[in-house]
Amino acid sequence: MTQDKVGQLMRYKIMLPVQGKYPQIRKFLASLPSEIPVIALENVQFERKNIVDADVQAKIKLVLYLVQAS
């Protein structure tokens, strides 16, 4: 968690390890802005152990923005 020095904005960094089919992960990422408008995708890394594997492993880094109540 980090806090904006000027305002009341709080940033929560979230790291999600995910495994599944590539289209499923992409669909999940595409749905995030409409499901959670205060979240942003910071980074995503895809890895496949073997070229013939149907599943991929992904490391998804998200940032959740919230306003701190005063």
Side-chain angles (χ1 to χ4, degrees), residues 4-17:
D4 186 20
K5 292 180 176 38
V6 177
Q8 298 176 346
L9 189 61
M10 302 292 290
R11 293 180 198 91
Y12 292 93
K13 292 192 177 196
I14 304 163
M15 204 330 229
L16 297 175

Side-chain angles (χ1 to χ4, degrees), residues 5-6 8 11 20 23 41-43 50-52 61:
K5 292 180 176 38
V6 177
Q8 298 176 346
R11 293 180 198 91
L41 177 63
E42 183 175 271
N43 190 338
N50 192 328
I51 192 90
V52 296
K61 292 182 183 178

Side-chain angles (χ1 to χ4, degrees), residues 32-40 64-65:
L32 280 176
S34 62
E35 296 290 326
I36 309 170
V38 295
I39 205 159
L64 182 64
Y65 292 96

Side-chain angles (χ1 to χ4, degrees), residues 45-58:
Q45 290 179 300
F46 292 99
E47 183 179 327
R48 186 176 290 177
K49 297 279 184 196
N50 192 328
I51 192 90
V52 296
D53 289 342
D55 285 351
V56 295
Q57 294 163 350

Side-chain angles (χ1 to χ4, degrees), residues 22-41:
Y22 180 78
Q24 291 173 319
I25 297 171
R26 289 291 306 254
K27 184 178 179 182
F28 167 75
L29 293 173
S31 71
L32 280 176
S34 62
E35 296 290 326
I36 309 170
V38 295
I39 205 159
L41 177 63

